[in-house]
Amino acid sequence: MTVDTFPAPTSARVLFGAGLRHTARDEVRRLGCRRALILSTPAQSDSALALAEVLGDDAAGVFSGAAMHTPVPISEAAVAHMREVAADCVVAIGGGSTTGLGKAIAYRTGFPQIVIPTTYAGSEATPTLGQTEGGVKTTLSDPRVQPEVILYDPELITSLPVGMTVTSALNAIAHAAEALYAPNRTATSDALALEGMRAFARSLEVVIAAPDGVAAREDTLRGAYACGAVLGLVGMSLHHKLCHTLGGAFDLPHADTHAIMLPHAIGYNARTVPDLLAPICEIFGGETPGTALYDYATRLNAPKALRKLGVAEVQLDHAAHLATRKPYPNPAPITRDGIRTLLQAAWEGARPQV
Ligand code: NAD
């Protein structure tokens, strides 16, 4: 078990190590708490129940209702349940959806959070919360939202199916790739972005070849933390905007959308800021940043076409309209024609030109 080796970008206590989940009770007490509400999705309720065993008397209950995009009614139900069982902290075990529920509870109650991540989404490393209500997604940033403790236990991510391992990793890499040209980037954010991408370049293919390999899984979790931390430090641009827009408009799976869009968004910006994006070619191998990421995704057998997610070609005009109606910082100028062309290539799954 080792303490985080990266520059500490957040105030969180960040630990990596196989079997770390077994220390959850100590972490609850370290926070001065005695009654933890354990959170998960319905699909991971077994993991939540196993964690309740670990916590023993310090488990106040299990709430396995976490869902994608943090619906407000679910967060409110969880807060009500938390009050009923007199819980004083949350332990979230799962991916970004479960972490999101823990953050939503912390935002509403001020209770501390322990997160045990089981995907590479990286939400645990940010003070950001995205929530949906009445079909509208809003995002806020607040210190209460930043989890106090993150326990990266690689044994828990061995169950992540290979397909989701790939898309979730590309979701993490997307945070780091866009950080390279963020208007508010710093030496720390650059270092974290490069370290995060290098960890995946080094270990993701090892994980895919042997998904139960704990050492390579731990290295990819270190990559996820670095990529998540960088997401919490700097602003995101075109890629995240497109994924947010497409995901919201067409109810697309989060990680798959990131995996498909990344080479195209980076390719779109590569002509304008080739020097800032050059590390992507060095890390993943390739002549240009967009093609390097596309070829990497191909080697990983990642999904590459929006049409395979059920998006109809006739919807692309509307998507281009939604993605260009409000200005936001981006290295290359955002034009409706440019984004429409990008979306067409992503819909077809074509290789970007740069
Ligand atoms: P997810 O949490 O929705 O998980 C997808 C599915 O995989 C769920 O059914 C989950 O139970 C299952 N799963 C997770 N880990 C597993 C494992 N190890 N083994 C087997 N099954 C497992 O997906 P995600 O991509 O991690 O998170 C997406 C959500 O996170 C989105 O709502 C996104 O907006 C949010 N997010 C937020 C931030 C932020 O900073 N606020 C950052 C990244 C993502």
Side-chain angles (χ1 to χ4, degrees):
M1 189 185 309
T2 47
V3 177
D4 160 44
T5 54
F6 297 112
T10 71
S11 54
R13 173 174 156 82
V14 184
L15 302 172
F16 294 89
L20 258 184
R21 64 193 179 283
H22 297 297
T23 67
R25 185 182 176 129
D26 298 340
E27 296 298 331
V28 167
R29 294 201 171 190
R30 212 168 175 277
L31 290 169
C33 298
R34 292 298 289 263
R35 292 187 61 74
L37 182 66
I38 300 161
L39 308 174
S40 77
T41 60
Q44 287 179 285
S45 60
D46 285 353
S47 301
L49 291 171
L51 195 61
E53 295 274 313
V54 170
L55 288 174
D57 291 346
D58 289 8
V62 171
F63 185 94
S64 290
M68 187 79 92
H69 304 311
T70 325
V72 167
I74 292 180
S75 303
E76 288 174 349
V79 168
H81 185 70
M82 193 152 184
R83 298 221 158 99
E84 260 167 44
V85 299
D88 56 10
C89 66
V90 294
V91 182
I93 182 163
S97 297
T98 307
T99 305
L101 176 59
K103 288 174 156 188
I105 293 172
Y107 180 64
R108 288 165 174 77
T109 63
F111 286 142
Q113 311 163 62
I114 297 170
V115 182
I116 307 179
T118 65
T119 71
Y120 303 123
S123 174
E124 63 280 359
T126 82
T128 311
L129 168 64
Q131 323 186 75
T132 44
E133 188 164 30
V136 179
K137 184 163 182 175
T138 53
T139 303
L140 61 87
S141 207
D142 188 289
R144 275 174 296 180
V145 165
Q146 171 66 58
E148 280 72 8
V149 180
I150 310 171
L151 303 179
Y152 286 106
D153 183 340
E155 289 175 358
L156 290 172
I157 201 168
T158 56
S159 60
L160 193 67
V162 166
M164 284 171 66
T165 294
V166 166
T167 55
S168 191
L170 290 167
N171 178 196
I173 291 166
H175 310 327
E178 281 224 296
L180 294 178
Y181 51 58
N184 58 343
R185 69 186 180 279
T186 62
T188 300
S189 68
D190 279 349
L192 282 163
L194 296 180
E195 185 51 39
M197 288 192 286
R198 285 194 183 115
F200 282 110
R202 184 164 70 217
S203 294
L204 185 58
E205 283 164 283
V206 181
V207 162
I208 290 163
D212 290 340
V214 168
R217 283 282 190 183
E218 181 171 325
D219 199 34
T220 51
L221 281 173
R222 286 175 179 275
Y225 172 62
C227 293
V230 89
L231 175 69
L233 284 179
V234 300
M236 296 286 117
S237 301
L238 174 65
H239 170 76
H240 283 74
K241 173 73 177 173
L242 284 174
C243 292
H244 188 100
T245 304
L246 291 166
F250 308 121
D251 195 23
L252 303 182
H254 177 81
D256 294 56
T257 311
H258 274 271
I260 292 169
M261 297 310 296
L262 182 61
H264 300 281
I266 294 302
Y268 187 93
N269 284 328
R271 281 203 182 90
T272 308
V273 286
D275 293 350
L276 295 180
L277 289 172
I280 289 177
C281 304
E282 178 227 313
I283 292 170
F284 296 107
E287 295 293 310
T288 60
T291 57
L293 287 168
Y294 185 90
D295 295 344
Y296 182 57
T298 304
R299 290 202 296 281
L300 298 172
N301 204 18
K304 292 214 298 274
L306 277 181
R307 64 188 162 81
K308 297 259 176 77
L309 297 187
V311 178
E313 195 170 9
V314 292
Q315 293 175 308
L316 297 181
D317 283 340
H318 181 55
H321 164 71
L322 292 177
T324 54
R325 67 184 165 166
K326 283 192 195 146
Y328 54 89
N330 189 64
I334 302 288
T335 64
R336 203 194 159 288
D337 283 355
I339 297 303
R340 180 64 183 77
T341 304
L342 181 165
L343 287 171
Q344 186 69 34
W347 185 80
E348 290 170 7
R351 191 170 185 258
Q353 288 175 351
V354 282

